[in-house]
Amino acid sequence: MTTDRQVHKVMVATDGSEGGKRAVAAAAQMSWADGNEFKVVSVVERNAVYRAEETEAALRTRAQEVVAAGARRLRPTGWPVSTAVLAGPPARAILAAADQWGADLIVVGSRGLRALERFALGSVSAGVDRAAAGRPGGEAAADPGQL
C-alpha cells in the first residue's frame, strides 16, 4: 500500500472463499496506526440465479456467518470491528458501503479465476480496484498479496 495519508477505516470484503479468508487474515496481520476500525462485509447478489436449495434467505444466513467469522478473526487486533451483509452487484455494493462508511482502504480477496472464468463471471476484486483507483484518494488492495 502506498499512501501518505493515515488509514483509519478499513473495510474488508469477504465471501468466505479462500481468497476472502486471506483478505481477512492480511488485514488482521498488518501493523496499523492508532485509531483504526474495521468493517467486515459480505454481499448477497440480488436477482442471481439460485440453486433450488439456495434461496436468498439461505445466502443471507451464510453471509452473516462469513462476516461473523471475519469479525472474530479481527477482534484480537484490539480495534473496533463491525459487520454488514450487503445486497446487490458485489463490486457496486462494496463501493457504496465503503463510501457511506467513509472507508480509507478496502481489502478484497481474489478467487484466482482463470481468464475465461474472469471474463464470464466478472471479478469483484478487479471491479473494486478499478473503481477505487479512479476516485480521489481511492485505495483498494484487491489482492492480499499486494499488502
Side-chain angles (χ1 to χ4, degrees), residues 26-90:
Q29 294 169 358
M30 287 186 70
S31 295
W32 298 103
D34 289 337
N36 286 302
E37 119 183 54
F38 294 102
K39 184 166 203 156
V40 182
V41 301
S42 190
V43 182
V44 174
E45 191 167 3
R46 287 193 174 140
N47 300 321
V49 179
Y50 303 119
R51 294 188 297 268
E53 69 277 4
E54 270 191 335
T55 64
E56 187 172 344
L59 293 172
R60 181 167 285 285
T61 297
R62 170 73 178 125
Q64 289 168 339
E65 293 166 355
V66 165
V67 296
R72 281 192 301 276
R73 177 70 172 90
L74 288 166
R75 282 202 176 94
T77 64
W79 304 116
V81 180
S82 60
T83 63
V85 173
L86 312 174

Side-chain angles (χ1 to χ4, degrees), residues 48-136:
V49 179
Y50 303 119
R51 294 188 297 268
E53 69 277 4
E54 270 191 335
T55 64
E56 187 172 344
L59 293 172
R60 181 167 285 285
T61 297
R62 170 73 178 125
Q64 289 168 339
E65 293 166 355
V66 165
V67 296
R72 281 192 301 276
R73 177 70 172 90
L74 288 166
R75 282 202 176 94
T77 64
W79 304 116
V81 180
S82 60
T83 63
V85 173
L86 312 174
R92 275 193 245 157
I94 292 165
L95 289 165
D99 282 346
Q100 182 179 14
W101 186 57
D104 298 308
L105 176 70
I106 306 168
V107 181
V108 183
S110 172
R111 287 189 177 193
L113 299 176
R114 288 174 275 160
L116 183 57
E117 292 169 318
R118 209 171 28 254
F119 176 75
L121 301 174
S123 171
V124 173
S125 58
V128 169
D129 191 44
R130 276 192 308 274
R135 294 167 182 231

